[in-house]
Amino acid sequence: MTKFWIVMQQVYKKNVKSGSWLFLVLSPLLFLGIAVAVGWFVSQTAAPAKVAVITDQPAVVRALNKAADGDVTYTAAAKTTANRRLTAEKIDGILTVTTAPTLSATYVERANAETGVDTSTLTAVLSQLKLQQTAAALNLSAAQVQALVTPAQVKKRTVAIEAGKQVAKNDTTALVNRGFASVLTVFIMVISIVYGSMLAQEIATEKGSRIMEILLSSVSATTQFFGKLAGILALLATQLVVYAVAGVVAWTWASRQAFVKQLLASVDLSVLWSMTSLLAILFFIIGTLTFAVLAAVCGSLVANQEQVNAAVMPISLLGMAGYMLAFMAQTGDAALIRVASYVPFLSIELMPVRLALGHATMGAAWLSLAVSVVFLAGFTWLAVNIYRTNVLVYSDAGMLRGMRKAFTIWRAERRN
Amino acid sequence: MLELKDLTKTFGPMTAVDHESFTVAPGEIMGLIGQNGAGKTTTFRMILNFLTPDSGTVTWNGQPLTRADYDMIGYLPEERGLYPKMRVQDQIIYFARLRGMKTADIKAQIPAWLERFQVKGKLTDKVKDLSKGNQQKVQLIATLIHMPKLVILDEPFSGLDPVNASLLQDGIMMLRDNGAAIIYSSHDMGNVAAISDHLVMLRNGATVLNGTVDAIRESFGRTKLFIESPLDEAALRAFEGVTALTQHGAQFELTLADPAVGQRIFAAATAGGYIPEFRQVPPSLDEIFRMKAGADHD
């Protein structure tokens, strides 16, 4: 096995067993799982509410039961029986329907019953009945009734401007895109900060505890640098695989649930299976790599364990800056946002969001991605050089002094 | 054989190592001595390829040291470091695997090494739970378990009590008998005199001493005299060429300007026959170190 693999394996194995990584991966799943389980449990155990109906028309009870769709059971009852059963808390409410002079009703419910009985549903059902009765009394035909009840129509259409043309969008598309964009930003921010910090900490600890010199006498700084980077990325890949598996399992269950089916039918999820999505993934990969490289450089700057937190700071700051800008981008496409979406470190959060919101074209996104890739290549080359010099420099006078000293050594090394 | 030829390294205006040359043959132990900042660590770093010399060469068996040679190097840095949360066994395995050893071989050999250095603690203990001395031993094992051919130890004796220091000495001897070329730095001249075949002293990057321990001492001449005789302090001071005198009980310790003075003192002291002590020796390494280190303060 090459030394690259040994370093990578070491980083991976050490972190994958650590409590903080397990918490990072499992906590969102756990909280989501608990929320779903609670909701499902509540919906499964809720028994239908029982309502007694005092009426002389059996048609009313039939119509009400049909409209309630199992959530409420309406039963015809005599007034005294109904009152007795309500007092005994055997039933949840009493609906009294009178037909003369006109169809009207009174609904009494126990204060602590918490039923799903909705007065607007009751009104709708009774209005429908009343309409039928009135139509019958006036000898109106079905067509006449239809003409009377049909309201005036107002239609709304949402369009997006793509490549200078209006493209029809489902009403919910914008909402879904916005949601996708916000989830994406948070995800990228959390991942780049968390994994960046992890790598910085890893290197800083080795340097601070002087393990670095032993490592450097067995493997080259370059091998070590890339081995560590690969180890952290393997860790990230593991997390994504865990989420993918959890996602597939959840999907097989959820897609069989009625409310999910209804929800899916009403929204346009095309943004998830589009070029936007692909670009977001590419930005995510390039961005995480860029952050990881920065983290390695930051980690190599420390002189002792106490400086580790300071070393992680630039990563958090850049991650947060991108997040703030991406948040601003959701309210409008200002010049600052447009420029920043081409700046490495910021672009990874900003460009996918602008793209999802329709503020940027595909071409612009590819251009920004190209800038990021070129930057990453140059930055990595620079980082390896900085890293090689830095890991041997210990300056207790602080990180800036350390950097100056590293620069002197670097120049001395370049001369030879 | 490790050979350093005319090695020079500068950092900006500062010359860290100035035209340094020496060789360490297999089965030889070389002590590198000097004050802090004399250039010892810089020398080690140039041997290990961490730093590139401005001029001069470092060769191993006539070839420059490359990545392929990493596996036969054992390096103990001056400031020790281990992963505090890692278990003792995992720690040794990681470092040894990076030197090209197989996990199974490492596991098989760890118990013998723990025994050799008398490490108190279990293989499954976390490093931070061991005492400082035991942590140092674990680090030594991690440095030596792959039986390196070139061993570089930066201040290996610092922080060890006499018992552990002699365990370390035994370990170093064992590696030497196994044919390793060993180079180490130390402040403790007692250890240096006891185990070094060869010695180099640096001052401000310049080599001020270079040779075997005996040759270096002899080169200073037998200017130290320990004597217990009927001659009293006044009588001893009366000899021309006695530059310093200290009394330890009945014994006097004299520093002579010229070894020849000893013969005159011997003649006078033994005029009445038997005396319990007359010992004329070169200065100790410790004295030479102080003499040489202090030279620029004069």
Side-chain angles (χ1 to χ4, degrees):
Chain A
M1 202 184 300
T2 64
K3 293 185 177 180
F4 171 83
W5 284 104
I6 297 174
V7 172
M8 177 178 160
Q9 207 184 38
Q10 157 78 4
V11 172
Y12 183 82
K13 260 169 55 182
K14 201 170 114 207
N15 285 298
V16 90
K17 284 189 280 187
S18 72
S20 54
W21 187 79
L22 287 175
F23 183 76
L24 170 75
V25 173
L26 297 181
S27 58
L29 290 181
L30 205 65
F31 291 132
L32 209 65
I34 290 173
V36 170
V38 166
W40 186 79
F41 191 69
V42 166
S43 75
Q44 287 297 301
T45 51
K50 288 182 200 139
V51 175
V53 186
I54 304 167
T55 178
D56 49 3
Q57 291 205 353
V60 172
V61 181
R62 274 202 306 280
L64 284 169
N65 272 323
K66 202 174 157 199
D69 200 19
D71 287 343
V72 188
T73 316
Y74 294 96
T75 332
K79 194 175 177 180
T80 47
T81 325
N83 275 319
R84 197 177 61 240
R85 286 173 65 80
L86 184 68
T87 315
E89 297 196 12
K90 287 271 167 52
I91 56 172
D92 300 301
I94 300 173
L95 181 69
T96 314
V97 183
T98 44
T99 43
T102 174
L103 195 65
S104 61
T106 318
Y107 178 60
V108 180
E109 186 179 278
R110 275 196 295 119
N112 58 351
E114 286 169 17
T115 66
V117 177
D118 177 13
T119 43
S120 61
T121 317
L122 290 175
T123 312
V125 172
L126 294 178
S127 300
Q128 185 68 27
L129 271 175
K130 184 172 175 255
L131 185 73
Q132 283 167 9
Q133 285 173 356
T134 316
L138 295 173
N139 287 322
L140 294 177
S141 71
Q144 285 169 322
V145 174
Q146 191 60 43
L148 268 175
V149 298
T150 307
Q153 300 249 323
V154 177
K155 274 192 185 162
K156 182 185 171 190
R157 227 158 45 87
T158 313
V159 295
I161 312 303
E162 282 175 15
K165 288 190 196 116
Q166 295 186 7
V167 181
K169 287 269 166 176
N170 185 311
D171 201 22
T172 58
T173 307
L175 194 71
V176 171
N177 287 4
R178 198 165 284 257
F180 174 71
S182 359
V183 170
L184 191 69
T185 339
V186 173
F187 187 71
I188 293 181
M189 177 191 70
V190 169
I191 290 293
S192 43
I193 291 183
V194 167
Y195 281 92
S197 311
M198 212 184 267
L199 182 59
Q201 205 124 37
E202 178 82 27
I203 291 170
T205 310
E206 277 175 5
K207 198 189 163 198
S209 64
R210 308 301 200 258
I211 295 172
M212 199 56 104
E213 288 188 46
I214 305 172
L215 297 179
L216 283 180
S217 69
S218 7
V219 287
S220 73
T222 317
T223 307
Q224 203 203 19
F225 180 89
F226 287 112
K228 287 206 179 307
L229 207 61
I232 290 290
L233 292 178
L235 215 56
L236 170 60
T238 310
Q239 176 170 20
L240 297 182
V241 167
V242 168
Y243 285 172
V245 169
V248 168
V249 170
W251 181 252
T252 18
W253 175 79
S255 57
R256 276 188 265 122
Q257 306 297 310
F259 72 93
V260 178
K261 276 187 196 154
Q262 271 175 19
L263 188 74
L264 287 179
S266 63
V267 296
D268 174 13
L269 288 173
S270 63
V271 68
L272 299 182
W273 306 110
S274 63
M275 209 59 167
T276 309
S277 219
L278 173 72
L279 266 163
I281 291 172
L282 290 176
F283 267 107
F284 174 65
I285 294 171
I286 298 297
T288 319
L289 275 169
T290 317
F291 266 94
V293 171
L294 173 71
V297 172
C298 290
S300 73
L301 279 175
V302 306
N304 53 50
Q305 312 261 27
E306 287 79 51
Q307 291 176 356
V308 171
N309 286 331
V312 174
M313 191 85 88
I315 303 159
S316 312
L317 284 180
L318 271 175
M320 287 301 284
Y323 175 72
M324 291 299 189
L325 286 170
F327 195 71
M328 275 166 64
Q330 296 192 30
T331 58
D333 202 28
L336 171 71
I337 307 280
R338 263 177 282 164
V339 172
S341 66
Y342 293 93
V343 177
F345 290 112
L346 302 178
S347 63
I348 60 156
E349 290 173 73
L350 217 40
M351 197 40 114
V353 169
R354 288 191 61 219
L355 196 62
L357 294 174
H359 292 167
T361 63
M362 281 291 166
W366 284 111
L367 177 66
S368 168
L369 188 66
V371 171
S372 298
V373 171
V374 171
F375 174 81
L376 177 62
F379 184 52
T380 307
W381 177 85
L382 188 72
V384 172
N385 280 301
I386 297 176
Y387 183 84
R388 276 218 306 258
T389 319
N390 269 346
V391 287
L392 291 173
V393 175
Y394 294 102
S395 172
D396 288 326
M399 285 162 63
L400 272 178
R401 184 79 64 85
M403 243 184 311
R404 258 215 312 272
K405 203 167 153 193
F407 183 68
T408 317
I409 295 186
W410 184 70
R411 261 205 330 219
E413 290 292 299
R414 296 277 292 182
R415 250 196 355 249
N416 299 298
Chain B
M1 175 145 86
L2 178 74
E3 184 168 15
L4 274 70
K5 221 184 251 171
D6 221 13
L7 223 49
T8 300
K9 179 74 189 173
T10 55
F11 297 110
M14 206 250 303
T15 304
V17 170
D18 195 6
H19 298 284
E20 183 182 13
S21 298
F22 60 77
T23 59
V24 190
E28 193 180 73
I29 300 175
M30 202 207 87
L32 191 60
I33 56 175
Q35 287 174 293
N36 296 328
K40 291 170 295 182
T41 301
T42 304
T43 303
F44 290 153
R45 286 181 169 183
M46 280 193 284
I47 297 173
L48 290 165
N49 237 338
F50 294 172
L51 293 172
T52 320
D54 295 352
S55 63
T57 53
V58 176
T59 55
W60 174 254
N61 297 335
Q63 302 291 320
L65 275 159
T66 62
R67 243 175 249 187
D69 300 313
Y70 281 168
D71 287 353
M72 56 105 209
I73 294 176
Y75 174 51
L76 182 77
E78 181 176 6
E79 293 195 59
R80 311 293 143 71
L82 292 167
Y83 298 96
K85 288 181 194 164
M86 219 196 254
R87 301 185 189 290
V88 169
Q89 172 162 294
D90 296 343
Q91 192 110 168
I92 298 176
I93 288 177
Y94 180 48
F95 286 147
R97 281 184 75 201
L98 283 177
R99 301 286 185 191
M101 275 183 93
K102 293 207 162 50
T103 310
D105 295 344
I106 306 164
K107 278 189 178 163
Q109 291 180 28
I110 288 178
W113 282 91
L114 292 179
E115 178 66 33
R116 173 172 290 136
F117 285 114
Q118 294 171 21
V119 177
K120 291 184 183 60
K122 290 196 291 290
L123 283 175
T124 48
D125 282 345
K126 286 191 175 161
V127 167
K128 63 176 167 128
D129 296 333
L130 298 183
S131 72
K132 199 166 168 240
N134 280 310
Q135 289 187 21
Q136 241 175 316
K137 291 181 193 173
V138 169
Q139 178 128 38
L140 265 167
I141 294 173
T143 310
L144 304 177
I145 192 167
H146 59 290
M147 296 302 279
K149 290 285 157 210
L150 173 60
V151 181
I152 298 172
L153 309 169
D154 205 346
E155 301 288 347
F157 294 102
S158 77
L160 290 181
D161 61 45
V163 176
N164 286 326
S166 74
L167 285 173
L168 172 59
Q169 272 192 20
D170 294 347
I172 293 177
M173 302 289 203
M174 189 271 291
L175 279 157
R176 180 196 62 184
D177 297 343
N178 206 51
I182 299 162
I183 167 169
Y184 75 102
S185 65
S186 183
H187 287 136
D188 184 342
M189 293 305 132
N191 289 315
V192 174
I195 63 170
S196 301
D197 300 312
H198 189 127
L199 199 135
V200 167
M201 180 173 171
L202 298 177
R203 194 183 68 226
N204 298 332
T207 308
V208 290
L209 293 173
N210 187 350
T212 62
V213 176
D214 289 341
I216 288 174
R217 287 186 64 195
E218 290 296 344
S219 74
F220 281 81
R222 298 194 169 233
T223 52
K224 278 291 191 187
L225 178 62
F226 296 88
I227 184 170
E228 200 179 329
S229 72
L231 298 178
D232 63 3
E233 185 180 341
L236 288 167
R237 280 198 192 278
F239 284 97
E240 200 179 329
V242 174
T243 55
L245 182 146
T246 12
Q247 187 168 8
H248 313 286
Q251 185 203 56
F252 290 97
E253 180 187 341
L254 278 61
T255 306
L256 311 176
D258 178 359
V261 180
Q263 289 171 18
R264 281 188 275 130
I265 299 178
F266 183 80
T270 54
Y274 171 81
I275 59 168
E277 183 180 14
F278 183 93
R279 186 158 56 93
Q280 191 174 357
V281 292
S284 70
L285 273 183
D286 210 31
E287 286 160 325
I288 294 173
F289 181 77
R290 260 186 266 268
M291 225 184 295
K292 282 292 175 184
D296 55 338
H297 298 302
D298 294 342

